[in-house]
Amino acid sequence: MLSKTTTLLYILLIPGLCSAVASDSVFRPPLQQARCRNVPGSLGFPTNDDFSILNKTVSGRLVKVVPFVEYCTSIGGCTFEQFTSSLYRDGVPGAMNQVNWEQDFSSNPPSLCQPQSPSSCGQGDVPLFGILANTVADIQAGVNFARIHNLRLAIKSSGHDYLGRSTAKNSFLISTHNMQNYTFVDDFVSGGKNLGPAVTVQSGVALSTMYAAAKAQGRFVVGGTASTVAAAGGYVQGAGHSSMSPFLGLAADNCLELNVVVADGQLVRANAVENSDLFWAMRGGGAGSWGVIVSATFRTFPTFNAAVSLMTLIARTVDQMAEVAAVHAKHIFDWDVLHAGQYFYLSTSGLFDTVNFITHGPGSNIPTMIIYTYFPNATVDQANTALQPFRDDLLQITGVNRTENVILTEINEILYASDDIVGSNMVMGSRLIPASAYRDPALVGKVYSQLLKQGGVQNILLNLVAGGKVSENADISNAVHPAWRTAKTHLIIANNWADSASIDQVRGNQTIFGRQQLPILEQISGQAAGAYSNEADSLEANFQTTFFGPNYPKLSAIKAKYDPTDLFIVKAGVGSERWDAYGICRMQ
Ligand SMILES: Cc1cc2nc3c(=O)[nH]c(=O)nc-3n(C[C@H](O)[C@H](O)[C@H](O)COP(=O)(O)OP(=O)(O)OC[C@H]3O[C@@H](n4cnc5c(N)ncnc54)[C@H](O)[C@@H]3O)c2cc1C
Ligand SMILES: *[C@@H]1O[C@H](CO)[C@@H](O)[C@H](O)[C@H]1NC(C)=O
Ligand SMILES: *[C@@H]1O[C@H](CO)[C@@H](O)[C@H](O)[C@H]1NC(C)=O
Ligand SMILES: *[C@@H]1O[C@H](CO)[C@@H](O)[C@H](O)[C@H]1NC(C)=O
Ligand SMILES: *[C@@H]1O[C@H](CO)[C@@H](O)[C@H](O)[C@H]1NC(C)=O
Ligand SMILES: *[C@@H]1O[C@H](CO)[C@@H](O)[C@H](O)[C@H]1NC(C)=O
């Protein structure tokens, strides 16, 4: 509720502030701390000559950026499959995976670019120009250009971001999507120590590429369930969860070194010894706030097989689904001995794609719970034994249909996905649910049914990706929110809308998490719960504590050291409290 007021206030304040500054800046040297970034029409905005010189510096890799639908028009149209393919969208500089982030719903009139009206496309919240970086020098040229010309900078590797942090209105883009190199080594030496087997991946490398490459090496790297998310992009900076996290920890816990172009244009190495404060911050301190990652190095493990159960439970009513969920909550610790990870999704709106977080087909109004459980390094028998008490208890609820399939597979193979299905208007809100909440299974079930009935929720996405090694890793010194170390699950609520939605309906969807869903959720999360900053609400009222907890003051100090002019500002990221909602004008 607070967040809504604050955001509206920011939007009202911008025009006044910016015009005051524009006339002011005539009397100031342009490189002093201006209150606003240069946008087209500002005195300090780069000239065509400036852009031409930059284009030569980056060997012609400067592009004009347009929204996805406009791009499609320019090539004679895109298919529906291309529209919804993350793999395809990732190659289009202006495209975001969640299409709402390309739109500017705040201006009056809004600036939109949607498939229904391709001929009336506005630029929306898509960057104006961008560098498709191939080399470190390209990235450095981009960072220097943005800093010298005081531009709003956006960084993107895949465009997956659920908070829309890899795009910004009137911004200049550095895309690291083409940084596709990776190297496996047996002995990774960092800070004078041999840290053992590792892989260094550049910041365009997708998880699917990483899994395929790791499999060929007989190795495994901790990563998420997605095809095109970039391991060395936003993922690791947020924390990076995986179904293998209860077994092997978070991605941030397994990150050994980062190579980063920081705000002054220098390439720095960040590890336990060199720039160790930056290394600490960039493992959990939030995506997009520190510099441009060139590459990240992760520990690798010998590959192993996993027994994986896919269970579908169909209930007669939402109340019965609440009973099912309570039984599930009662058994949620059963699988800890095997360090299992699990995704379990509750839906009332039809067939749910558990890998891509979207609903296919017409809403069917059938309460469904889909449960994927991953038992690392275990046999099918071990998995069945661990699941049996849960199955037995489910039989006590009359009329629930269970179908289940348990398979054994090499871990890279099961985590590999060829594509992610995206392309909807979606925002989300989330909380890390403490393990202690599951000591009251009946309350857990009740809260889910309240969310589904009164919260306007169609899908509750639960990720059992904490506990086990994530808790044991509490002694690792990184910026991962300490709430991860005591959490059992990461609960996401996704809110979707159609392109035909009115601006009021869009606003309704953008704000319903804070207004209506969070108060219900807080019955189990508690009121001071943390949230995973990569899968969360960009309008989170107290993002400093919710996303970063007690780490915020230290993160702020490290940001001031490496990025004194706030070149790297993202929504709800460290330092963003000093900026308006667009990251264009300073508020303080
Ligand atoms: C289908 C799907 C499945 C997912 N599954 C998981 C999962 O299993 N586990 C999990 O933890 N998360 C998961 N996520 C969330 C994911 O971690 C975030 O969306 C993350 O921000 C993606 O990072 P990216 O760099 O690929 O995306 P982008 O949208 O390109 O960037 C995200 C953020 O990182 C910054 N960034 C990107 N590249 C760089 C760079 N080179 N240097 C510095 N900053 C950069 C951007 O500025 C932005 O702030 C999933 C998301 C999707 C869409
Ligand atoms: C940059 O140069 C390349 C190659 O000369 C050209 O194709 C491209 O259009 C230029 N970019 C811009 C934004 O002008
Ligand atoms: C990239 O490629 C070069 C060789 O072309 C290699 O030396 C380097 O180590 C590779 N790896 C990374 C992560 O850059
Ligand atoms: C469960 O399956 C039975 C028989 O296949 C069917 O009659 C019943 O309607 C199903 N129940 C639900 C809730 O889908
Ligand atoms: C999996 O189990 C085998 C045999 O018990 C063991 O040698 C191996 O180290 C385990 N893998 C991991 C990643 O722990
Ligand atoms: C979200 O948008 C849809 C239209 O696509 C609308 O029916 C729904 O009421 C909106 N939700 C809220 C909370 O406003």
Side-chain angles (χ1 to χ4, degrees), residues 236-240 250 252-253 280-281 283-286 431-432 466 470-471 473-474 476-487 528-534 542-552 555:
V236 65
Q237 296 176 78
L250 297 163
D253 298 344
W280 178 86
R283 291 171 301 147
R431 281 297 180 271
L432 292 163
V470 177
S471 303
N473 280 348
I476 291 184
S477 178
N478 61 25
V480 167
H481 193 315
W484 268 107
R485 309 301 183 187
T486 51
Y532 176 38
S533 64
N534 273 348
N542 299 305
F543 74 86
Q544 293 97 328
T545 45
T546 305
F547 293 168
F548 307 107
N551 293 332
Y552 201 76
L555 287 168

Side-chain angles (χ1 to χ4, degrees), residues 233-262:
Y235 177 73
V236 65
Q237 296 176 78
H241 66 72
S242 164
S243 53
M244 292 298 109
S245 290
F247 183 42
L248 300 171
L250 297 163
D253 298 344
N254 287 294
C255 176
L256 305 175
E257 190 171 280
L258 294 158
N259 284 291
V260 189
V261 175
V262 289

